[in-house]
Amino acid sequence: MAKVNKRLAVLVGCNYPNTQYELHGCINDVVAMKDVLVKRFGFDPTNIELLTDASAATGEGSSSVVLPTGENIKAALSKMVRQAEAGDVLYFHYSGHGTRIPKPAHLFGHDEAIVPCDFNLITDVDFRQLVNQLPKGASFTILSDSCHSGGLIDKEKEQIGPSTYRAASSLSYKAKNIPFESILEHLTTLTGINTSDIGTHLLESFGANASLKFLTPQLESELFDFLKADEGILLSGCQADETSADMNPMESGGKAYGAFSNAVQMVLKENTGRLSNKEVVMMARKVLEAQGIDQHPCLYCSDENADATFLCQPEAEPY
């Protein structure tokens, strides 16, 4: 009997309920995407792990609910990568806050990170290590609907990059961004340590579950010693220097949503045939532009994967 390739997914929605950083559409984003994965892309629901902080909104935690903490997200992603074999399709959809971490003074620029519900940052170095662990022939697509998500797989090749177009938006939305200074302030209240070094706070708070960027700083250079074309594919909700929008039309009876997640959903509904990764990103840009939302999705992957079919869509009846 021929081997059937697996389709595995981890979906994370962080709304940060009852905090000053609360968003409204992130859980809706990943619940909607789960339906698309099953109906259109042939994912088995039992192979999709959903992590949300919905229970935190009510305070009624359940032992069966897996909260999207840094440790839990990394454990789910590591498990998925370990299960992967040649030909398997892996997918990670994140909707929530992102941030930028300033590099040390002697280096230029920033590192990108996502902000789990417990503020245990997951950085571009963590995603690079996951991609490097993929078995040959497996693909790993990351869709990050968060601020500063461009470049979230460290050193991945840019295929669709920054745009100079600026939309004149009159829409009301919340940026999916927690400034670095706010994260530092939050962690300082947890640790009580008087230092501006975020690594010190993360290691004190989360120990061995902190990002590899802070656990083993030398690993960052080691990860890139033999870097070549890989099977990591990043669809980012915006450029590294931009914010992503959390839309909340609930006042008018609508459902809250992430602008990029919603744009991708619209593109998939309007185009039932196979689309390349490049086509999905370019079409999502056009949707956001038409809506007057000033953010520019980007694509990072190898040349071959830029033209590869999004999530290796199988030939099937349109959904």
Side-chain angles (χ1 to χ4, degrees):
M1 181 183 291
K3 174 183 173 290
V4 178
N5 294 328
K6 299 188 295 294
R7 292 174 168 265
L8 310 170
V10 174
L11 312 178
V12 174
C14 290
N15 275 344
Y16 316 88
N18 306 318
T19 73
Q20 62 180 309
Y21 308 111
E22 185 167 10
L23 299 172
H24 295 91
C26 301
I27 295 174
N28 291 340
D29 291 340
V30 293
V31 169
M33 194 63 192
K34 180 178 181 179
D35 192 53
V36 174
L37 293 179
V38 173
K39 291 182 178 178
R40 176 164 179 161
F41 293 100
F43 282 69
D44 185 326
T46 61
N47 286 333
I48 300 174
E49 185 164 1
L50 184 67
L51 289 77
T52 76
D53 54 4
S55 63
T58 61
E60 298 176 2
S62 165
S63 59
S64 62
V65 173
V66 181
L67 286 171
T69 63
E71 180 180 359
N72 288 341
I73 294 170
K74 287 189 288 187
L77 292 173
S78 296
K79 177 184 174 185
M80 181 169 69
V81 170
R82 285 196 308 270
Q83 289 179 318
E85 301 172 279
D88 289 351
V89 177
L90 280 59
Y91 180 64
F92 174 51
H93 190 125
Y94 172 76
S95 185
H97 280 302
T99 194
R100 300 179 91 190
I101 306 166
K103 288 183 182 287
H106 65 285
L107 297 173
F108 174 77
H110 296 78
D111 288 307
E112 291 74 39
I114 62 173
V115 186
C117 67
D118 63 346
F119 281 58
N120 185 7
L121 303 182
I122 303 176
T123 69
D124 49 3
V125 175
D126 298 305
F127 288 110
R128 164 50 59 195
Q129 194 208 35
L130 285 166
V131 168
N132 284 5
Q133 292 174 343
L134 277 178
K136 188 174 176 62
S139 68
F140 186 7
T141 301
I142 297 172
L143 189 154
S144 191
D145 189 353
S146 56
C147 290
H148 312 302
S149 47
L152 200 55
I153 304 177
D154 207 4
K155 303 296 189 291
E156 194 64 62
K157 184 173 182 179
E158 183 180 271
Q159 298 289 345
I160 300 175
S163 168
T164 56
Y165 170 80
R166 288 289 175 266
S169 176
S170 59
L171 297 172
S172 175
Y173 65 86
K174 185 168 184 176
K176 300 167 88 166
N177 166 56
I178 302 180
F180 172 78
E181 294 75 17
S182 298
I183 289 175
L184 188 61
E185 182 181 342
H186 174 79
L187 292 172
T188 301
T189 62
L190 296 180
T191 65
I193 300 173
N194 183 22
T195 176
S196 60
D197 177 43
I198 195 165
T200 299
H201 294 293
L202 289 167
L203 291 169
E204 176 69 20
S205 299
F206 304 108
N209 292 312
S211 169
L212 288 169
K213 177 176 180 60
F214 308 108
L215 274 175
T216 50
Q218 76 280 4
L219 180 66
E220 187 165 0
S221 59
E222 293 171 5
L223 283 172
F224 311 125
D225 283 349
F226 305 103
L227 205 55
K228 56 186 183 302
D230 56 58
E231 296 306 315
I233 303 163
L234 170 65
L235 289 77
S236 68
C238 62
Q239 299 166 188
D241 61 348
E242 286 184 327
T243 60
S244 289
D246 182 63
M247 313 300 293
N248 187 16
M250 289 192 289
E251 298 84 2
S252 55
K255 255 188 167 182
Y257 58 86
F260 180 51
S261 293
N262 182 67
V264 170
Q265 295 271 347
M266 290 176 63
V267 166
L268 294 174
K269 283 180 180 175
E270 292 167 7
N271 300 272
T272 55
R274 293 178 172 184
L275 295 172
S276 70
N277 291 306
K278 188 182 291 184
E279 288 172 324
V280 170
V281 171
M282 291 307 297
M283 289 179 179
R285 274 194 176 191
K286 289 180 180 176
V287 169
L288 293 169
E289 182 178 333
Q291 293 174 339
I293 298 172
D294 192 16
Q295 66 186 72
H296 303 88
C298 298
L299 176 65
Y300 300 81
C301 61
S302 67
D303 294 341
E304 183 179 353
N305 280 330
D307 295 315
T309 303
F310 178 64
L311 290 182
C312 303
Q313 181 179 338
E315 291 189 43
E317 292 296 319
Y319 89 110

